[in-house]
Amino acid sequence: MSPPVPQIDVLAVFSHPDDAELSVSGTLLKLKSLGYTTGVCDMTRGEMGTRGNPEIRAREALEAARILKLDVRLNLEQPDGHVWPTEEARTAMVRVIRQYQPKVVITAHWDDPHPDHANTARIVRQAARLATMARYDGESGMPAVAMPSIMHSIFSRLVVPSFIVDVSDFVDEKMQAIRSHSSQFYDETSREPETRISDKNFLEQIEHRMRYFGSLISVAAGEPFYVREALNVEDPVALLTRPMNIYS
Ligand SMILES: [Zn+2]
């Protein structure tokens, strides 16, 4: 009998092998430092990418996982560019949720302009609910689980963050994890075609964005999240006496 799979406290589910790094890796590093187990599940192998190929991208993802100290990195091998909330995709996600029983799932926002990102958010929301229904995918023999909470990473100014996580202590490791995906980002020796994200300015913009969201809570760097459900606050005084910025 194979050993039981460890429970993962926080699972980040994104579309392409570098998405979690670009969006939420500061938060994953912080949660790991707080003692939580963390994992990333990529929906696709990124085979539609203009640069690199699935084998290179898988190696880069493992290197980034090492830097992020992830307990697990999974890949659902959905078709890149064609991520849809199909029965097959939802069932695959339900099985991951039932196997690892995350307390919190982090994913993209459903209004993301990239269809794969938006559909990944939909698959996660649907699968989180379906995983609680004993008869959904009953043939797998996996028991139903409690529904994980979901936090959405946001990029659009049109979505107001529910909260911002202070990741000031993890900026260098985050940028190092992103740079592990060297086939995708700026490399002056690369002869591959240039893309939006391989432009020299792209990584600077990622860091500037972190600094901007940090400024909104008066810290050096932050990552913003949206939670659709009302937040249940035990102690509003403790919450509201943390550093804030009245000009946010
Ligand atoms: Zn992506």
Side-chain angles (χ1 to χ4, degrees), residues 8-236:
I8 295 293
D9 295 319
V10 183
L11 183 67
V13 182
F14 285 84
S15 306
H16 309 109
D18 51 4
D19 289 342
E21 284 81 339
L22 290 167
S23 314
V24 301
S25 56
T27 299
L28 290 173
L29 282 158
K30 178 162 196 169
L31 291 169
K32 187 71 190 178
S33 80
L34 293 172
Y36 294 106
T37 49
T38 59
V40 169
C41 176
D42 304 311
M43 293 297 287
T44 77
R45 302 192 303 150
E47 69 271 17
M48 284 262 289
T50 309
R51 293 158 68 109
N53 61 48
E55 292 70 34
I56 290 171
R57 300 200 69 175
R59 277 201 303 277
E60 292 170 346
L62 284 179
E63 171 60 11
R66 190 187 62 75
I67 294 165
L68 297 176
K69 307 177 186 82
L70 299 178
D71 296 280
V72 66
R73 183 151 204 162
L74 311 166
N75 195 300
L76 288 190
E77 301 190 1
Q78 295 296 300
D80 188 6
H82 306 270
V83 174
W84 285 98
T86 60
E87 199 55 34
E88 190 257 330
R90 298 194 317 177
T91 302
M93 196 69 242
V94 163
R95 290 181 182 183
V96 167
I97 291 171
R98 286 179 174 168
Q99 188 166 19
Y100 291 95
Q101 298 174 41
K103 295 178 178 127
V104 175
V105 177
I106 308 178
T107 188
H109 188 273
W110 58 86
D111 196 29
D112 190 293
H114 193 312
D116 283 352
H117 298 179
N119 283 331
T120 294
R122 292 189 182 98
I123 291 166
V124 166
R125 289 203 76 90
Q126 293 179 20
R129 182 68 184 89
L130 293 168
T132 70
M133 300 176 186
R135 289 187 172 173
Y136 185 84
D137 190 37
E139 59 270 30
S140 70
M142 301 172 84
V145 294
M147 186 167 165
S149 297
I150 301 170
M151 47 197 264
H152 298 273
S153 168
I154 50 179
F155 277 90
S156 170
R157 75 189 189 288
L158 301 178
V159 182
V160 176
S162 303
F163 57 84
I164 295 168
V165 177
D166 176 1
V167 297
S168 306
D169 293 338
F170 304 97
V171 172
D172 292 344
E173 283 168 285
K174 171 173 177 167
M175 297 312 290
Q176 198 189 338
I178 293 172
R179 279 193 215 93
S180 304
H181 297 272
S182 55
S183 70
Q184 304 301 302
F185 302 113
Y186 180 70
D187 171 4
E188 61 184 9
T189 65
S190 173
R191 294 172 162 221
E192 294 213 69
E194 285 186 19
T195 66
R196 182 180 71 87
I197 64 170
S198 75
D199 187 273
K200 205 174 176 181
N201 291 325
F202 179 76
L203 291 183
E204 280 178 26
Q205 287 172 17
I206 290 289
E207 183 163 348
H208 293 161
R209 186 179 280 272
M210 255 194 295
R211 300 296 184 192
Y212 168 71
F213 282 106
S215 79
L216 297 186
I217 54 169
S218 291
V219 302
E223 288 175 344
F225 294 94
Y226 177 78
V227 177
R228 197 173 82 175
E229 297 74 22
L231 299 177
N232 175 343
V233 175
E234 176 74 14
D235 183 346

